[in-house]
Amino acid sequence: MAIITLTTDLGSKDFYQAALKGSLLTILPGVNLVDITHEVPSFDISYAAFVLKNAYPYFPKNTVHLIGIDSVYSENTKYIAIKHRDHYFVGADNGIFSLLFDEVPEEVVELNIMQDLKYLHFPLVDIFVKAATHLAKGGKLKDIGLPIVEIEQKMLLHPVIERDIIRGSVIYIDTFCNVITNITKDLFTKIQRNRDFTLYFRKSETITQLSWHYNEVPEGEKLCLFGISNHLEIAINKGKASGLLGLHLGDIIRVEFHS
């Protein structure tokens, strides 16, 4: 069965999400629609890229991922479709794909599907739906667009390395209020070289040990670990770390390694 996932900032309050799903089902009845999230903060492509990047590899090959973030019509924004690692992606060329992939996508086309003027302000239910259902039915990229080489580039804030120190920042706070940083497991391991460390945040707060799981410390105690995203997390066992520790998006954290 064909699968189309949905990652948008449409929320659940209005009719927009239902209109999108109805449009997909009208063209491809019986398609398996999977909500990744509709709760992306408005126009926040970094947030959306982080969520989708950590979700899409779990889906079967040939899944189509429709991305509805900052997709309102603009003369300067292209709509594109991509094939990468046996998955398909449809969205606006607003920089999100440069954040989503660690390497150059395998195949990219600029969509040349005729825009229905009735939906000029809501291309999600028109051009995006037509492209996604075409691909979900097994159609080729070349049939809906012209090949392009370059996509819009956006830069994430990367950790800063200073000899035995990594300075990172908070990039995501999940539903459980776990605080996720931009320090990856690979980077941490590379700089650590089996040494002890101290994680500093909020001036006086520290953690000096990595945990394997959240229940490794008593309830209410803070910890750090590498979660499913392979990014360094700060959490509280059965507690809300973001609120209790006063950590917010963009806050700086520091890891010092000891010889």
Side-chain angles (χ1 to χ4, degrees):
M1 181 182 292
I3 300 173
I4 298 177
T5 76
L6 306 174
T7 302
T8 79
D9 56 5
L10 298 177
S12 302
K13 176 183 176 182
D14 302 304
F15 63 85
Y16 307 125
Q17 183 190 144
L20 172 59
K21 292 178 179 178
S23 299
L24 289 162
L25 291 169
T26 297
I27 295 179
L28 190 57
V31 64
N32 190 1
L33 300 180
V34 179
D35 298 310
I36 290 182
T37 181
H38 296 283
E39 305 304 327
V40 174
S42 299
F43 314 115
D44 193 334
I45 61 173
S46 297
Y47 184 108
F50 182 84
V51 173
L52 185 54
K53 183 175 186 176
N54 285 284
Y56 91 79
Y58 292 92
F59 285 84
K61 292 181 178 180
N62 296 316
T63 295
V64 180
H65 305 280
L66 191 157
I67 307 169
I69 310 293
D70 192 19
S71 58
V72 175
Y73 172 78
S74 168
E75 291 183 356
N76 300 319
T77 301
K78 301 187 295 287
Y79 301 138
I80 62 177
I82 291 174
K83 182 178 183 181
H84 188 63
R85 294 191 173 184
D86 294 317
H87 288 252
Y88 291 96
F89 303 82
V90 176
D93 185 27
N94 53 21
I96 190 170
F97 294 108
S98 66
L99 305 179
L100 181 58
F101 306 129
D102 293 326
E103 59 276 312
V104 177
E106 298 161 16
E107 188 177 356
V108 185
V109 300
E110 180 178 354
L111 298 176
N112 57 9
I113 297 170
M114 185 66 68
Q115 169 76 62
D116 187 335
L117 295 180
K118 178 181 178 182
Y119 303 110
L120 185 62
H121 63 292
F122 198 10
L124 268 180
V125 300
D126 181 33
I127 294 177
F128 286 40
V129 163
K130 292 171 183 175
T133 52
H134 168 82
L135 295 169
K137 289 186 288 187
K140 304 297 184 183
L141 283 176
K142 65 180 181 180
D143 297 329
I144 56 174
L146 299 175
I148 59 173
V149 176
E150 296 184 355
I151 58 175
E152 182 71 20
Q153 297 294 313
K154 296 289 185 182
M155 293 295 294
L156 286 174
L157 183 63
H158 294 289
V160 175
I161 303 169
E162 303 173 1
R163 292 187 58 125
D164 298 322
I165 299 174
I166 302 176
R167 299 183 189 276
S169 61
V170 177
I171 60 170
Y172 189 82
I173 297 172
D174 69 15
T175 302
F176 300 97
C177 290
N178 298 320
V179 177
I180 301 173
T181 77
N182 61 351
I183 299 176
T184 64
K185 186 175 182 179
D186 287 344
L187 176 61
F188 186 96
T189 302
K190 178 181 177 181
I191 305 301
Q192 181 187 24
R193 300 192 299 275
N194 295 317
R195 295 178 294 173
D196 293 334
F197 73 92
T198 302
L199 168 61
Y200 296 92
F201 58 96
R202 294 293 296 171
K203 294 184 179 180
S204 60
E205 294 282 356
T206 62
I207 300 175
T208 59
Q209 185 174 344
L210 276 174
S211 297
W212 287 98
H213 51 81
Y214 299 103
N215 293 321
E216 196 170 315
V217 300
E219 288 189 20
E221 291 294 321
K222 63 180 182 289
L223 67 135
C224 67
L225 81 170
F226 288 99
I228 193 171
S229 69
N230 275 328
H231 283 244
L232 184 65
E233 293 184 26
I234 299 170
I236 291 178
N237 183 16
K238 292 186 171 61
K240 298 183 177 182
S242 174
L244 293 172
L245 298 174
L247 285 166
H248 306 93
L249 290 175
D251 282 358
I252 301 299
I253 63 105
R254 185 175 85 256
V255 183
E256 293 188 6
F257 299 99
H258 314 299
S259 301

